[in-house]
Amino acid sequence: MANFVPVRKEQHQNLKLASKRDLAHIAGQHIVSLTAAEYAQASASYPVLLVKNPNSPRYRSVAMLGLESGENLYYKDEKWSGLSLPQSVGMAPFALGLDPDKENTLTACVDIDSDLVAEDKELALFDADGKETELLTNVQNSLGRLYENEKMTENFIKELEENELLQELELNIDFNNGEKKKLTGIFTVNEDKVKALADDKVLDFHKRGLFVPIYAMLGSLGQINRLVQLRNQTGNAQITSIQIAPLAQEEIKEETAES
């Protein structure tokens, strides 16, 4: 588990960041957070989806990296095979968190238990005079951009919800050993409903650039086949077929009742 604490000169003047950073911290993650600003680029590598816990009303925007929990098909032998790296992943071991000294204020935090930081690493966060280094300033600026992109993504998802443009999908997976799996709780845009939008709504969406992430999401569904290819290269049980289908409304009701 990560142990994030606010970056403070008093406690972290001698803390340094490793010059060589790896992605071992996401080796076992099958989804990672993604902002709408990244959809167009990410859609060339990963399925871009929304996920939601049945017990929560909140959707989370993600890139799908595997077909089951604990499976990251894009990170192998310490190498990343995606054409892009989600911004949230590249920020490790840093994140935004609440400043305990300032009410309702976000501040840069660092995971002090991460293998990427220690006093014997190479890249300083503070100089000998206790001033922030250019590295730390760049980290803070990047965290700020990530926060703004996350807020924009929340607004984008809200637009999809308010205009009833979301649909839940189910993935039905067949393996060569006879095993079958069904994945639910994943959402994309309903293309038919997008096409049926009123003209004034289409113009509004166009002016605000909402069609860019919408069609990036839809186009990214083809990357599920890429997940199958990567999975079948692992030597584990081979996937013989995968079907993607909208989850019928009655099935949604049944699942909700059972959960």
Side-chain angles (χ1 to χ4, degrees):
M1 293 291 291
N3 183 15
F4 285 102
V5 299
V7 178
R8 292 286 188 266
K9 178 184 67 176
E10 295 77 16
Q11 290 86 33
H12 305 123
Q13 183 164 352
N14 298 320
L15 193 67
K16 296 181 177 66
L17 178 68
S19 57
K20 183 180 179 181
R21 299 164 67 187
D22 60 40
L23 301 174
H25 62 287
I26 61 162
Q29 292 186 28
H30 70 294
I31 57 173
V32 293
S33 295
L34 193 72
T35 66
E38 302 173 90
Y39 283 8
Q41 187 175 28
S43 64
S45 294
Y46 330 101
V48 175
L49 300 160
L50 303 181
V51 296
K52 186 169 77 72
N53 186 306
N55 300 318
S56 170
R58 185 174 180 272
Y59 292 90
R60 180 184 172 199
S61 169
V62 301
M64 190 174 182
L65 307 180
L67 291 166
E68 57 185 340
S69 181
E71 177 182 76
N72 185 336
L73 298 169
Y74 291 85
Y75 185 66
K76 183 179 180 182
D77 299 328
E78 298 185 0
K79 293 181 180 178
W80 184 256
S81 62
L83 298 177
S84 61
L85 185 69
Q87 189 180 6
S88 63
V89 173
M91 287 310 308
F94 299 98
L96 277 179
L98 288 174
D99 190 329
D101 301 326
K102 298 178 182 178
E103 189 175 356
N104 298 324
T105 301
L106 294 171
T107 189
C109 296
V110 62
D111 176 11
I112 56 173
D113 289 345
S114 170
D115 293 336
L116 298 175
V117 290
E119 292 191 2
D120 61 354
K121 300 298 183 182
E122 300 81 24
L123 306 175
L125 302 183
F126 297 92
D127 63 21
D129 297 325
K131 295 180 180 179
E132 296 177 358
T133 61
E134 183 178 357
L135 168 68
L136 181 54
T137 298
N138 289 338
V139 165
Q140 292 170 331
N141 291 337
S142 295
L143 287 172
R145 287 192 295 271
L146 178 58
Y147 175 75
E148 292 301 321
N149 287 340
E150 287 174 344
K151 296 299 292 182
M152 182 186 74
T153 304
E154 289 179 10
N155 292 333
F156 171 67
I157 295 173
K158 185 178 179 181
E159 290 277 4
L160 297 180
E161 287 186 272
E162 290 179 348
N163 289 280
E164 299 181 346
L165 296 179
L166 291 177
Q167 67 176 10
E168 185 170 4
L169 300 177
E170 65 176 17
L171 302 186
N172 294 293
I173 308 171
D174 295 333
F175 297 88
N176 62 355
N177 61 4
E179 184 182 3
K180 296 179 181 292
K181 286 189 177 180
K182 179 185 289 188
L183 301 181
T184 58
I186 54 178
F187 296 78
T188 189
V189 175
N190 186 319
E191 187 172 10
D192 290 336
K193 288 188 175 182
V194 171
K195 291 177 178 178
L197 286 171
D199 289 349
D200 61 336
K201 184 65 69 172
V202 170
L203 182 60
D204 174 53
F205 273 34
H206 175 70
K207 285 184 174 180
R208 291 190 288 141
L210 298 183
F211 284 121
V212 174
I214 283 175
Y215 281 103
M217 282 186 78
L218 288 169
S220 76
L221 292 178
Q223 299 300 337
I224 290 176
N225 292 323
R226 175 66 175 152
L227 289 180
V228 173
Q229 292 175 341
L230 292 172
R231 167 60 188 253
N232 285 347
Q233 293 171 7
T234 64
N236 296 325
Q238 300 285 291
I239 295 174
T240 56
S241 71
I242 186 166
Q243 295 180 332
I244 310 167
L247 196 62
Q249 197 62 38
E250 57 270 17
E251 291 183 74
I252 296 175
K253 291 177 181 177
E254 287 176 10
E255 284 208 355
T256 303
E258 292 172 1
S259 60

PDB file of all heavy atoms in Angstrom, residues 202-232:
ATOM      1  N   VAL A 202     -26.022  18.587 -30.843  1.00  0.00           N
ATOM      2  CA  VAL A 202     -24.855  18.231 -31.656  1.00  0.00           C
ATOM      3  C   VAL A 202     -23.944  19.445 -31.820  1.00  0.00           C
ATOM      4  O   VAL A 202     -22.723  19.353 -31.662  1.00  0.00           O
ATOM      5  CB  VAL A 202     -25.298  17.712 -33.045  1.00  0.00           C
ATOM      6  CG1 VAL A 202     -24.086  17.580 -33.977  1.00  0.00           C
ATOM      7  CG2 VAL A 202     -26.005  16.364 -32.908  1.00  0.00           C
ATOM      8  N   LEU A 203     -24.541  20.581 -32.112  1.00  0.00           N
ATOM      9  CA  LEU A 203     -23.757  21.812 -32.278  1.00  0.00           C
ATOM     10  C   LEU A 203     -23.061  22.189 -30.982  1.00  0.00           C
ATOM     11  O   LEU A 203     -21.888  22.574 -30.974  1.00  0.00           O
ATOM     12  CB  LEU A 203     -24.673  22.945 -32.740  1.00  0.00           C
ATOM     13  CG  LEU A 203     -23.987  24.298 -33.010  1.00  0.00           C
ATOM     14  CD1 LEU A 203     -22.927  24.150 -34.093  1.00  0.00           C
ATOM     15  CD2 LEU A 203     -25.024  25.342 -33.389  1.00  0.00           C
ATOM     16  N   ASP A 204     -23.773  22.050 -29.884  1.00  0.00           N
ATOM     17  CA  ASP A 204     -23.210  22.366 -28.570  1.00  0.00           C
ATOM     18  C   ASP A 204     -22.031  21.452 -28.261  1.00  0.00           C
ATOM     19  O   ASP A 204     -20.961  21.917 -27.843  1.00  0.00           O
ATOM     20  CB  ASP A 204     -24.295  22.229 -27.502  1.00  0.00           C
ATOM     21  CG  ASP A 204     -23.749  22.412 -26.101  1.00  0.00           C
ATOM     22  OD1 ASP A 204     -23.087  23.434 -25.850  1.00  0.00           O
ATOM     23  OD2 ASP A 204     -23.963  21.521 -25.254  1.00  0.00           O
ATOM     24  N   PHE A 205     -22.216  20.150 -28.475  1.00  0.00           N
ATOM     25  CA  PHE A 205     -21.134  19.181 -28.232  1.00  0.00           C
ATOM     26  C   PHE A 205     -19.934  19.474 -29.131  1.00  0.00           C
ATOM     27  O   PHE A 205     -18.778  19.390 -28.694  1.00  0.00           O
ATOM     28  CB  PHE A 205     -21.639  17.754 -28.481  1.00  0.00           C
ATOM     29  CG  PHE A 205     -22.284  17.112 -27.287  1.00  0.00           C
ATOM     30  CD1 PHE A 205     -23.013  17.863 -26.373  1.00  0.00           C
ATOM     31  CD2 PHE A 205     -22.187  15.747 -27.073  1.00  0.00           C
ATOM     32  CE1 PHE A 205     -23.615  17.271 -25.270  1.00  0.00           C
ATOM     33  CE2 PHE A 205     -22.785  15.139 -25.978  1.00  0.00           C
ATOM     34  CZ  PHE A 205     -23.509  15.901 -25.077  1.00  0.00           C
ATOM     35  N   HIS A 206     -20.218  19.800 -30.379  1.00  0.00           N
ATOM     36  CA  HIS A 206     -19.141  20.071 -31.335  1.00  0.00           C
ATOM     37  C   HIS A 206     -18.325  21.290 -30.901  1.00  0.00           C
ATOM     38  O   HIS A 206     -17.086  21.259 -30.899  1.00  0.00           O
ATOM     39  CB  HIS A 206     -19.730  20.292 -32.725  1.00  0.00           C
ATOM     40  CG  HIS A 206     -18.716  20.702 -33.742  1.00  0.00           C
ATOM     41  ND1 HIS A 206     -17.743  19.843 -34.223  1.00  0.00           N
ATOM     42  CD2 HIS A 206     -18.498  21.898 -34.367  1.00  0.00           C
ATOM     43  CE1 HIS A 206     -16.976  20.489 -35.091  1.00  0.00           C
ATOM     44  NE2 HIS A 206     -17.422  21.729 -35.196  1.00  0.00           N
ATOM     45  N   LYS A 207     -19.003  22.349 -30.509  1.00  0.00           N
ATOM     46  CA  LYS A 207     -18.312  23.582 -30.108  1.00  0.00           C
ATOM     47  C   LYS A 207     -17.448  23.357 -28.876  1.00  0.00           C
ATOM     48  O   LYS A 207     -16.401  23.994 -28.710  1.00  0.00           O
ATOM     49  CB  LYS A 207     -19.333  24.693 -29.847  1.00  0.00           C
ATOM     50  CG  LYS A 207     -19.935  25.289 -31.119  1.00  0.00           C
ATOM     51  CD  LYS A 207     -20.857  26.459 -30.783  1.00  0.00           C
ATOM     52  CE  LYS A 207     -21.343  27.149 -32.039  1.00  0.00           C
ATOM     53  NZ  LYS A 207     -22.241  28.297 -31.740  1.00  0.00           N
ATOM     54  N   ARG A 208     -17.887  22.471 -28.001  1.00  0.00           N
ATOM     55  CA  ARG A 208     -17.132  22.233 -26.764  1.00  0.00           C
ATOM     56  C   ARG A 208     -16.144  21.067 -26.880  1.00  0.00           C
ATOM     57  O   ARG A 208     -15.497  20.700 -25.904  1.00  0.00           O
ATOM     58  CB  ARG A 208     -18.100  21.996 -25.606  1.00  0.00           C
ATOM     59  CG  ARG A 208     -18.871  23.251 -25.230  1.00  0.00           C
ATOM     60  CD  ARG A 208     -19.635  23.069 -23.944  1.00  0.00           C
ATOM     61  NE  ARG A 208     -20.799  22.191 -24.096  1.00  0.00           N
ATOM     62  CZ  ARG A 208     -21.185  21.293 -23.200  1.00  0.00           C
ATOM     63  NH1 ARG A 208     -20.487  21.147 -22.077  1.00  0.00           N
ATOM     64  NH2 ARG A 208     -22.250  20.558 -23.389  1.00  0.00           N
ATOM     65  N   GLY A 209     -16.043  20.496 -28.081  1.00  0.00           N
ATOM     66  CA  GLY A 209     -15.051  19.448 -28.317  1.00  0.00           C
ATOM     67  C   GLY A 209     -15.371  18.118 -27.685  1.00  0.00           C
ATOM     68  O   GLY A 209     -14.468  17.284 -27.497  1.00  0.00           O
ATOM     69  N   LEU A 210     -16.624  17.857 -27.357  1.00  0.00           N
ATOM     70  CA  LEU A 210     -16.981  16.622 -26.664  1.00  0.00           C
ATOM     71  C   LEU A 210     -16.970  15.399 -27.570  1.00  0.00           C
ATOM     72  O   LEU A 210     -16.862  14.260 -27.091  1.00  0.00           O
ATOM     73  CB  LEU A 210     -18.365  16.760 -26.015  1.00  0.00           C
ATOM     74  CG  LEU A 210     -18.491  17.837 -24.942  1.00  0.00           C
ATOM     75  CD1 LEU A 210     -19.883  17.824 -24.334  1.00  0.00           C
ATOM     76  CD2 LEU A 210     -17.442  17.663 -23.858  1.00  0.00           C
ATOM     77  N   PHE A 211     -17.085  15.616 -28.880  1.00  0.00           N
ATOM     78  CA  PHE A 211     -17.104  14.463 -29.774  1.00  0.00           C
ATOM     79  C   PHE A 211     -15.727  13.806 -29.897  1.00  0.00           C
ATOM     80  O   PHE A 211     -15.628  12.640 -30.263  1.00  0.00           O
ATOM     81  CB  PHE A 211     -17.624  14.859 -31.159  1.00  0.00           C
ATOM     82  CG  PHE A 211     -19.109  15.057 -31.205  1.00  0.00           C
ATOM     83  CD1 PHE A 211     -19.651  16.266 -31.583  1.00  0.00           C
ATOM     84  CD2 PHE A 211     -19.970  14.030 -30.850  1.00  0.00           C
ATOM     85  CE1 PHE A 211     -21.026  16.454 -31.616  1.00  0.00           C
ATOM     86  CE2 PHE A 211     -21.341  14.201 -30.881  1.00  0.00           C
ATOM     87  CZ  PHE A 211     -21.878  15.416 -31.270  1.00  0.00           C
ATOM     88  N   VAL A 212     -14.669  14.538 -29.604  1.00  0.00           N
ATOM     89  CA  VAL A 212     -13.324  13.954 -29.681  1.00  0.00           C
ATOM     90  C   VAL A 212     -13.181  12.797 -28.678  1.00  0.00           C
ATOM     91  O   VAL A 212     -12.858  11.664 -29.068  1.00  0.00           O
ATOM     92  CB  VAL A 212     -12.238  15.017 -29.468  1.00  0.00           C
ATOM     93  CG1 VAL A 212     -10.854  14.364 -29.405  1.00  0.00           C
ATOM     94  CG2 VAL A 212     -12.287  16.048 -30.587  1.00  0.00           C
ATOM     95  N   PRO A 213     -13.426  13.021 -27.374  1.00  0.00           N
ATOM     96  CA  PRO A 213     -13.328  11.886 -26.437  1.00  0.00           C
ATOM     97  C   PRO A 213     -14.423  10.842 -26.659  1.00  0.00           C
ATOM     98  O   PRO A 213     -14.190   9.647 -26.439  1.00  0.00           O
ATOM     99  CB  PRO A 213     -13.455  12.542 -25.060  1.00  0.00           C
ATOM    100  CG  PRO A 213     -14.099  13.859 -25.293  1.00  0.00           C
ATOM    101  CD  PRO A 213     -13.641  14.296 -26.654  1.00  0.00           C
ATOM    102  N   ILE A 214     -15.608  11.262 -27.116  1.00  0.00           N
ATOM    103  CA  ILE A 214     -16.692  10.303 -27.347  1.00  0.00           C
ATOM    104  C   ILE A 214     -16.287   9.282 -28.402  1.00  0.00           C
ATOM    105  O   ILE A 214     -16.391   8.059 -28.192  1.00  0.00           O
ATOM    106  CB  ILE A 214     -17.986  11.031 -27.761  1.00  0.00           C
ATOM    107  CG1 ILE A 214     -18.653  11.662 -26.538  1.00  0.00           C
ATOM    108  CG2 ILE A 214     -18.958  10.077 -28.455  1.00  0.00           C
ATOM    109  CD1 ILE A 214     -19.873  12.509 -26.855  1.00  0.00           C
ATOM    110  N   TYR A 215     -15.806   9.753 -29.543  1.00  0.00           N
ATOM    111  CA  TYR A 215     -15.459   8.821 -30.613  1.00  0.00           C
ATOM    112  C   TYR A 215     -14.135   8.120 -30.367  1.00  0.00           C
ATOM    113  O   TYR A 215     -13.904   7.026 -30.897  1.00  0.00           O
ATOM    114  CB  TYR A 215     -15.504   9.526 -31.968  1.00  0.00           C
ATOM    115  CG  TYR A 215     -16.938   9.658 -32.445  1.00  0.00           C
ATOM    116  CD1 TYR A 215     -17.619  10.870 -32.367  1.00  0.00           C
ATOM    117  CD2 TYR A 215     -17.633   8.544 -32.906  1.00  0.00           C
ATOM    118  CE1 TYR A 215     -18.953  10.970 -32.758  1.00  0.00           C
ATOM    119  CE2 TYR A 215     -18.966   8.638 -33.301  1.00  0.00           C
ATOM    120  CZ  TYR A 215     -19.613   9.848 -33.221  1.00  0.00           C
ATOM    121  OH  TYR A 215     -20.944   9.924 -33.597  1.00  0.00           O
ATOM    122  N   ALA A 216     -13.285   8.706 -29.550  1.00  0.00           N
ATOM    123  CA  ALA A 216     -12.071   7.991 -29.136  1.00  0.00           C
ATOM    124  C   ALA A 216     -12.452   6.783 -28.283  1.00  0.00           C
ATOM    125  O   ALA A 216     -11.882   5.693 -28.439  1.00  0.00           O
ATOM    126  CB  ALA A 216     -11.145   8.919 -28.361  1.00  0.00           C
ATOM    127  N   MET A 217     -13.426   6.968 -27.379  1.00  0.00           N
ATOM    128  CA  MET A 217     -13.904   5.846 -26.561  1.00  0.00           C
ATOM    129  C   MET A 217     -14.458   4.733 -27.443  1.00  0.00           C
ATOM    130  O   MET A 217     -14.115   3.557 -27.285  1.00  0.00           O
ATOM    131  CB  MET A 217     -15.000   6.301 -25.600  1.00  0.00           C
ATOM    132  CG  MET A 217     -14.541   7.039 -24.379  1.00  0.00           C
ATOM    133  SD  MET A 217     -15.924   7.364 -23.252  1.00  0.00           S
ATOM    134  CE  MET A 217     -16.112   5.754 -22.493  1.00  0.00           C
ATOM    135  N   LEU A 218     -15.322   5.117 -28.379  1.00  0.00           N
ATOM    136  CA  LEU A 218     -15.947   4.120 -29.241  1.00  0.00           C
ATOM    137  C   LEU A 218     -14.906   3.390 -30.093  1.00  0.00           C
ATOM    138  O   LEU A 218     -14.940   2.158 -30.230  1.00  0.00           O
ATOM    139  CB  LEU A 218     -16.989   4.788 -30.139  1.00  0.00           C
ATOM    140  CG  LEU A 218     -18.269   5.244 -29.426  1.00  0.00           C
ATOM    141  CD1 LEU A 218     -19.109   6.133 -30.335  1.00  0.00           C
ATOM    142  CD2 LEU A 218     -19.090   4.039 -28.972  1.00  0.00           C
ATOM    143  N   GLY A 219     -13.967   4.133 -30.661  1.00  0.00           N
ATOM    144  CA  GLY A 219     -12.945   3.507 -31.491  1.00  0.00           C
ATOM    145  C   GLY A 219     -12.012   2.605 -30.717  1.00  0.00           C
ATOM    146  O   GLY A 219     -11.469   1.637 -31.257  1.00  0.00           O
ATOM    147  N   SER A 220     -11.836   2.905 -29.431  1.00  0.00           N
ATOM    148  CA  SER A 220     -10.893   2.130 -28.620  1.00  0.00           C
ATOM    149  C   SER A 220     -11.376   0.719 -28.324  1.00  0.00           C
ATOM    150  O   SER A 220     -10.587  -0.135 -27.909  1.00  0.00           O
ATOM    151  CB  SER A 220     -10.627   2.852 -27.294  1.00  0.00           C
ATOM    152  OG  SER A 220     -11.717   2.692 -26.385  1.00  0.00           O
ATOM    153  N   LEU A 221     -12.656   0.451 -28.518  1.00  0.00           N
ATOM    154  CA  LEU A 221     -13.169  -0.882 -28.219  1.00  0.00           C
ATOM    155  C   LEU A 221     -12.477  -1.960 -29.051  1.00  0.00           C
ATOM    156  O   LEU A 221     -12.382  -3.119 -28.643  1.00  0.00           O
ATOM    157  CB  LEU A 221     -14.685  -0.938 -28.446  1.00  0.00           C
ATOM    158  CG  LEU A 221     -15.534  -0.130 -27.470  1.00  0.00           C
ATOM    159  CD1 LEU A 221     -17.013  -0.221 -27.838  1.00  0.00           C
ATOM    160  CD2 LEU A 221     -15.318  -0.597 -26.038  1.00  0.00           C
ATOM    161  N   GLY A 222     -11.972  -1.568 -30.217  1.00  0.00           N
ATOM    162  CA  GLY A 222     -11.232  -2.522 -31.034  1.00  0.00           C
ATOM    163  C   GLY A 222      -9.963  -3.010 -30.361  1.00  0.00           C
ATOM    164  O   GLY A 222      -9.438  -4.079 -30.717  1.00  0.00           O
ATOM    165  N   GLN A 223      -9.459  -2.269 -29.390  1.00  0.00           N
ATOM    166  CA  GLN A 223      -8.247  -2.675 -28.670  1.00  0.00           C
ATOM    167  C   GLN A 223      -8.492  -3.868 -27.747  1.00  0.00           C
ATOM    168  O   GLN A 223      -7.532  -4.459 -27.243  1.00  0.00           O
ATOM    169  CB  GLN A 223      -7.673  -1.498 -27.879  1.00  0.00           C
ATOM    170  CG  GLN A 223      -7.267  -0.297 -28.717  1.00  0.00           C
ATOM    171  CD  GLN A 223      -6.203  -0.619 -29.754  1.00  0.00           C
ATOM    172  OE1 GLN A 223      -5.460  -1.591 -29.620  1.00  0.00           O
ATOM    173  NE2 GLN A 223      -6.138   0.188 -30.799  1.00  0.00           N
ATOM    174  N   ILE A 224      -9.742  -4.225 -27.540  1.00  0.00           N
ATOM    175  CA  ILE A 224     -10.016  -5.439 -26.762  1.00  0.00           C
ATOM    176  C   ILE A 224      -9.423  -6.652 -27.471  1.00  0.00           C
ATOM    177  O   ILE A 224      -8.936  -7.596 -26.838  1.00  0.00           O
ATOM    178  CB  ILE A 224     -11.533  -5.598 -26.513  1.00  0.00           C
ATOM    179  CG1 ILE A 224     -11.998  -4.508 -25.530  1.00  0.00           C
ATOM    180  CG2 ILE A 224     -11.864  -6.986 -25.958  1.00  0.00           C
ATOM    181  CD1 ILE A 224     -13.484  -4.500 -25.268  1.00  0.00           C
ATOM    182  N   ASN A 225      -9.431  -6.619 -28.812  1.00  0.00           N
ATOM    183  CA  ASN A 225      -8.794  -7.699 -29.565  1.00  0.00           C
ATOM    184  C   ASN A 225      -7.292  -7.716 -29.316  1.00  0.00           C
ATOM    185  O   ASN A 225      -6.657  -8.776 -29.314  1.00  0.00           O
ATOM    186  CB  ASN A 225      -9.070  -7.540 -31.062  1.00  0.00           C
ATOM    187  CG  ASN A 225     -10.529  -7.760 -31.399  1.00  0.00           C
ATOM    188  OD1 ASN A 225     -11.191  -8.603 -30.819  1.00  0.00           O
ATOM    189  ND2 ASN A 225     -11.038  -6.979 -32.340  1.00  0.00           N
ATOM    190  N   ARG A 226      -6.712  -6.533 -29.099  1.00  0.00           N
ATOM    191  CA  ARG A 226      -5.289  -6.450 -28.759  1.00  0.00           C
ATOM    192  C   ARG A 226      -5.030  -7.104 -27.406  1.00  0.00           C
ATOM    193  O   ARG A 226      -4.023  -7.809 -27.226  1.00  0.00           O
ATOM    194  CB  ARG A 226      -4.862  -4.979 -28.728  1.00  0.00           C
ATOM    195  CG  ARG A 226      -3.425  -4.733 -28.267  1.00  0.00           C
ATOM    196  CD  ARG A 226      -2.423  -5.298 -29.228  1.00  0.00           C
ATOM    197  NE  ARG A 226      -1.066  -4.948 -28.846  1.00  0.00           N
ATOM    198  CZ  ARG A 226       0.000  -5.678 -29.140  1.00  0.00           C
ATOM    199  NH1 ARG A 226      -0.135  -6.794 -29.839  1.00  0.00           N
ATOM    200  NH2 ARG A 226       1.200  -5.301 -28.764  1.00  0.00           N
ATOM    201  N   LEU A 227      -5.942  -6.909 -26.464  1.00  0.00           N
ATOM    202  CA  LEU A 227      -5.805  -7.569 -25.164  1.00  0.00           C
ATOM    203  C   LEU A 227      -5.802  -9.086 -25.322  1.00  0.00           C
ATOM    204  O   LEU A 227      -5.045  -9.794 -24.661  1.00  0.00           O
ATOM    205  CB  LEU A 227      -6.949  -7.151 -24.226  1.00  0.00           C
ATOM    206  CG  LEU A 227      -6.935  -5.721 -23.683  1.00  0.00           C
ATOM    207  CD1 LEU A 227      -8.143  -5.510 -22.783  1.00  0.00           C
ATOM    208  CD2 LEU A 227      -5.659  -5.435 -22.918  1.00  0.00           C
ATOM    209  N   VAL A 228      -6.671  -9.580 -26.198  1.00  0.00           N
ATOM    210  CA  VAL A 228      -6.729 -11.023 -26.450  1.00  0.00           C
ATOM    211  C   VAL A 228      -5.400 -11.508 -27.016  1.00  0.00           C
ATOM    212  O   VAL A 228      -4.859 -12.540 -26.584  1.00  0.00           O
ATOM    213  CB  VAL A 228      -7.888 -11.367 -27.403  1.00  0.00           C
ATOM    214  CG1 VAL A 228      -7.841 -12.846 -27.805  1.00  0.00           C
ATOM    215  CG2 VAL A 228      -9.228 -11.042 -26.757  1.00  0.00           C
ATOM    216  N   GLN A 229      -4.852 -10.779 -27.992  1.00  0.00           N
ATOM    217  CA  GLN A 229      -3.567 -11.165 -28.576  1.00  0.00           C
ATOM    218  C   GLN A 229      -2.473 -11.196 -27.525  1.00  0.00           C
ATOM    219  O   GLN A 229      -1.678 -12.157 -27.460  1.00  0.00           O
ATOM    220  CB  GLN A 229      -3.182 -10.184 -29.689  1.00  0.00           C
ATOM    221  CG  GLN A 229      -4.070 -10.258 -30.925  1.00  0.00           C
ATOM    222  CD  GLN A 229      -3.713  -9.185 -31.939  1.00  0.00           C
ATOM    223  OE1 GLN A 229      -3.060  -8.185 -31.615  1.00  0.00           O
ATOM    224  NE2 GLN A 229      -4.131  -9.379 -33.183  1.00  0.00           N
ATOM    225  N   LEU A 230      -2.408 -10.167 -26.699  1.00  0.00           N
ATOM    226  CA  LEU A 230      -1.379 -10.110 -25.661  1.00  0.00           C
ATOM    227  C   LEU A 230      -1.570 -11.223 -24.644  1.00  0.00           C
ATOM    228  O   LEU A 230      -0.597 -11.839 -24.184  1.00  0.00           O
ATOM    229  CB  LEU A 230      -1.410  -8.746 -24.976  1.00  0.00           C
ATOM    230  CG  LEU A 230      -0.976  -7.550 -25.829  1.00  0.00           C
ATOM    231  CD1 LEU A 230      -1.248  -6.239 -25.095  1.00  0.00           C
ATOM    232  CD2 LEU A 230       0.508  -7.646 -26.187  1.00  0.00           C
ATOM    233  N   ARG A 231      -2.818 -11.491 -24.275  1.00  0.00           N
ATOM    234  CA  ARG A 231      -3.103 -12.550 -23.308  1.00  0.00           C
ATOM    235  C   ARG A 231      -2.664 -13.910 -23.867  1.00  0.00           C
ATOM    236  O   ARG A 231      -2.082 -14.737 -23.157  1.00  0.00           O
ATOM    237  CB  ARG A 231      -4.595 -12.551 -22.984  1.00  0.00           C
ATOM    238  CG  ARG A 231      -5.112 -13.779 -22.229  1.00  0.00           C
ATOM    239  CD  ARG A 231      -4.431 -13.951 -20.872  1.00  0.00           C
ATOM    240  NE  ARG A 231      -4.789 -15.215 -20.268  1.00  0.00           N
ATOM    241  CZ  ARG A 231      -5.607 -15.344 -19.230  1.00  0.00           C
ATOM    242  NH1 ARG A 231      -6.144 -14.267 -18.687  1.00  0.00           N
ATOM    243  NH2 ARG A 231      -5.871 -16.527 -18.727  1.00  0.00           N
ATOM    244  N   ASN A 232      -2.904 -14.139 -25.155  1.00  0.00           N
ATOM    245  CA  ASN A 232      -2.568 -15.437 -25.748  1.00  0.00           C
ATOM    246  C   ASN A 232      -1.069 -15.616 -25.969  1.00  0.00           C
ATOM    247  O   ASN A 232      -0.620 -16.702 -26.321  1.00  0.00           O
ATOM    248  CB  ASN A 232      -3.323 -15.621 -27.066  1.00  0.00           C
ATOM    249  CG  ASN A 232      -4.791 -15.941 -26.840  1.00  0.00           C
ATOM    250  OD1 ASN A 232      -5.209 -16.263 -25.714  1.00  0.00           O
ATOM    251  ND2 ASN A 232      -5.596 -15.851 -27.882  1.00  0.00           N
TER     252      ASN A 232
END
